[in-house]
Amino acid sequence: MAKLIWVVLIFGLGLTVQANEKSQMVAQFIEAFNERDPELMGQMVTKEAYWFDVTRAGMTSQTTSRDELVKSMKDYFADANRAHSRVIKSVTSGDFVSTVEQVSWQQEGEWLSRCSIGVYLFEAQKIAAVWYYKAHKCDASD
């Protein structure tokens, strides 16, 4: 019986470590975004890196490869907009990390922010796909 308990504890700790590694990878990916470093972002995704924007009307594919993601981020960062993102909440389930992220930016001297739900799919310890849901007003608790 004691062996079974140890196996369950060790197995459970292994799942927690894997979940933490995925959450940490998402945090590092967002930090690379904040640092405006598309090359670093590219190192954290699989060769076939899918990025989708999801709205009520449907889903739009933004990228289907690491190269497209890096190019897209370079184009985005060429804009003077200094958007900054942070994870407010995250939940890990299997190969997925779901987040509530808050993006803040300055417009005409005023700071604005919106929240979005992101879902990250992992394969081989890298981000394979991301679904970003339409931005919305952040909850008061965010």
Side-chain angles (χ1 to χ4, degrees):
M1 181 68 162
K3 284 184 181 179
L4 177 60
I5 291 172
W6 279 108
V7 168
V8 169
L9 284 173
I10 291 170
F11 182 70
L13 288 174
L15 290 177
T16 301
V17 168
Q18 290 174 352
N20 286 341
E21 288 173 0
K22 290 174 185 158
S23 292
Q24 288 174 354
M25 174 75 73
V26 169
Q28 290 169 353
F29 187 76
I30 292 168
E31 186 55 33
F33 169 85
N34 290 335
E35 295 294 323
R36 302 170 71 89
D37 190 340
E39 299 296 336
L40 182 56
M41 293 175 77
Q43 292 173 20
M44 296 183 225
V45 300
T46 58
K47 187 175 180 179
E48 293 179 348
Y50 293 90
W51 187 291
F52 301 98
D53 287 335
V54 183
T55 66
R56 182 178 179 183
M59 186 166 54
T60 305
S61 175
Q62 298 297 323
T63 69
T64 60
S65 72
R66 177 187 304 132
D67 292 342
E68 285 181 8
L69 176 74
V70 170
K71 182 184 180 319
S72 174
M73 288 293 104
K74 283 180 180 178
D75 292 346
Y76 178 78
F77 295 142
D79 182 359
N81 182 359
R82 289 277 185 185
H84 180 83
S85 186
R86 71 183 181 103
V87 175
I88 296 173
K89 301 173 189 170
S90 73
V91 175
T92 303
S93 180
D95 290 331
F96 293 90
V97 175
S98 300
T99 62
V100 175
E101 296 174 34
Q102 182 182 41
V103 177
S104 301
W105 68 96
Q106 213 169 14
Q107 182 176 339
E108 297 177 7
E110 181 182 354
W111 280 98
L112 305 172
S113 69
R114 302 291 277 177
C115 285
S116 187
I117 293 173
V119 179
Y120 297 77
L121 171 64
F122 280 79
E123 290 177 2
Q125 291 81 39
K126 291 197 175 201
I127 299 167
V130 180
W131 293 266
Y132 261 98
Y133 288 78
K134 184 179 184 308
H136 56 275
K137 183 178 176 185
C138 299
D139 292 337
S141 63
D142 297 340

